[in-house]
Amino acid sequence: MDFPVQRWRDAVKIRHSIRTYNQQPLVGNIKERLLKFIAQANTEVNGVRAEFIDDGGSKVIQSIIASYGFIQGVRSYIAFIVDKNDRHCYEKIGYLGEMCILEATSLGLASCWISGTFKPKLVEDQLSIGFSEKVVAITPVGYSSNKQSIIEKLMKKIAGSHQRKPLEELCPDYNQHWPIWIKDAVCLARLAPSAVNRQPWRFIVSEDAKEIKITLDKLSDIESKRLDCGIAMLHIEIAALINNIQGGWNYLNKPDIAVYVKK
Ligand SMILES: Cc1cc2nc3c(=O)[nH]c(=O)nc-3n(C[C@H](O)[C@H](O)[C@H](O)COP(=O)(O)O)c2cc1C
């Protein structure tokens, strides 16, 4: 599949987590377009998959404040499912899930990655799940209610959702003379969402400026940070492709996650 990179780059820039929805079904042909996209996207990445559930979101969202966040009025959602036997399933589901989220954004839908404040068992009741599969996250897809709950406003303030770490912290060797595609890639990766906005990634650029490596800030909570890094991987690739830089990802061992190598 050809990635619609311009649309996704624009989506990266406007997307923010929305936690208050108005329970409305998807309008017009949006549901069909999203279903078609998910079916295509699922063939792009093996060992993980996404599944759209039209109605049922209100049951699977935790109704009390749990780890953080408070999500209301959800109807439709996408479940993100991994095959536990795949060594890189967390990076892959971050990457595939972000494809779905950016596509949903460009279709005018609100979304929010949710890995903590949902009930995986109830999601599994609403879809058919294989023996080695596990639901690791979901996102609502729908329309934002104009009224943000007080809790949503508070959570945004606490999580500092709109803020990102300075580029110099994320790229310890930041160099003004890097090629444009590298600078664009790290800037777009910097905007990636992450659980509790922790931004657990560091970007290391090779001396010949042909590779961007993603490495972890700390060796804690590794599985879920690998998911965050999968999201940043997609953002790097979008920027590379916009600059006509073809390349591919190689997975690495911790604390490194993966390296994008220019062809
Ligand atoms: C993998 C992942 C899991 C997340 N889980 C939750 C969650 O359980 N509850 C919640 O309210 N927000 C959750 N978020 C949303 C983050 O808090 C949010 O993306 C971050 O604060 C950045 O804000 P933004 O998405 O508005 O840019 C999650 C985000 C990611 C990427």
Side-chain angles (χ1 to χ4, degrees), residues 2-21:
D2 284 334
F3 288 0
V5 286
Q6 309 281 353
R7 272 201 299 126
W8 286 358
R9 189 255 326 263
D10 295 346
V12 165
K13 297 198 169 162
I14 58 169
R15 185 214 57 83
H16 275 296
S17 294
I18 300 294
R19 295 181 177 83
T20 316
Y21 293 81

Side-chain angles (χ1 to χ4, degrees), residues 193-213:
S194 54
V196 284
N197 203 19
R198 61 190 159 186
Q199 306 158 66
W201 38 68
R202 297 293 174 268
F203 307 115
I204 314 286
V205 174
S206 63
E207 276 195 13
D208 61 4
K210 288 189 172 152
E211 298 182 2
I212 306 176
K213 185 170 79 178

Side-chain angles (χ1 to χ4, degrees), residues 15-17 19 67-71 112-117 159-162 164 191 193-197 224 227-228 231:
R15 185 214 57 83
H16 275 296
S17 294
R19 295 181 177 83
S67 45
Y68 72 109
F70 190 69
I71 294 123
C112 180
W113 271 100
I114 301 174
S115 65
T117 44
S161 289
H162 289 246
R164 294 295 187 264
L191 300 180
S194 54
V196 284
N197 203 19
S224 71
L227 192 162
D228 292 334
I231 299 174

